[in-house]
Amino acid sequence: MTNVEGPYFLESIPTITDRIKSRGDGGEELIIEGKVVDLAGKPIEGAELFIWHSDHEGYYSGYSEEFPPDFYRGKKIIDSTGAFNIRTVLPVPYMIPHEGPSGKMLELMGRHPWRPAHVHFKIRAQGFLEHTTQAYFADEKWVDSDCVEAVRPALIHKLQERGGVKVLKKDFVLDPV
């Protein structure tokens, strides 16, 4: 299922193999694993899987000199198996900017400024439609009242646990052009 891209996508991010770079200053480890396939279930070799999310304090990299864009972001080139396994840090809920007009609008609507924890994905492959989505986590705070109303049941995932590490399983099926 597609979902909002959000304001924090950056085209120029590091290509990764198995780990998204973090600042090493905290946060719980998260493994994101799955596959990228076509409608027949065949792996899509060469697909570009962009992954980005907030840090463990709810901030996105690439929007200040102190927090360069090579953290909490990565582009994985999918191999012939279609599978990926990426280590990163579990994102947390965060507040959207809520001073000024945005805050007034939320207040008038009787809404809060919180986004639930989530991971963004964009997948591109030659001959297929680009796919942009997010993954939210079951039982997380704000997942049932996201201030931007982007959460959909199909995008909520129950995290598994393996060896004390949380695991997000997320497969992508791309439609042909």
Side-chain angles (χ1 to χ4, degrees), residues 5 29 50 73 77 80 93 132 137 155 169 175 177:
E5 181 174 296
E29 188 169 22
F50 292 82
R73 300 173 181 279
I77 307 301
S80 62
T132 302
F137 312 126
L155 301 176
K169 292 188 160 277
D175 291 315
V177 174

Side-chain angles (χ1 to χ4, degrees), residues 45-117:
E45 184 175 5
E48 298 176 324
L49 172 62
F50 292 82
I51 303 170
W52 71 101
H53 59 81
S54 70
D55 70 0
H56 68 283
E57 294 179 338
Y59 296 105
Y60 282 83
S61 65
Y63 290 89
S64 76
E65 303 234 348
E66 298 84 43
F67 199 1
D70 56 335
F71 291 93
Y72 305 96
R73 300 173 181 279
K75 178 174 64 174
K76 170 74 173 167
I77 307 301
I78 302 301
D79 67 19
S80 62
T81 68
F84 60 91
N85 184 296
I86 307 295
R87 290 183 174 269
T88 188
V89 175
L90 189 67
V92 297
Y94 62 87
M95 282 193 289
I96 64 168
H98 58 282
E99 285 78 36
S102 296
K104 278 278 194 219
M105 183 179 73
L106 287 170
E107 185 181 319
L108 289 169
M109 294 169 56
R111 300 187 56 82
H112 61 74
W114 285 93
R115 295 271 358 249

Side-chain angles (χ1 to χ4, degrees), residues 90 93 116-117 136-145 151 153 155-160 166:
L90 189 67
Y136 301 92
F137 312 126
D139 305 320
E140 283 282 323
K141 192 169 188 176
W142 314 114
V143 78
D144 60 350
S145 64
V151 178
L155 301 176
I156 300 172
H157 300 273
K158 178 114 176 103
L159 293 177
Q160 300 175 4
K166 288 194 165 75

Side-chain angles (χ1 to χ4, degrees), residues 18-36:
D18 63 350
R19 182 174 291 278
I20 291 176
K21 187 176 177 182
S22 67
R23 293 191 282 189
D25 55 356
E28 188 175 354
E29 188 169 22
L30 174 68
I31 296 171
I32 304 171
E33 64 183 22
K35 57 189 175 188
V36 179

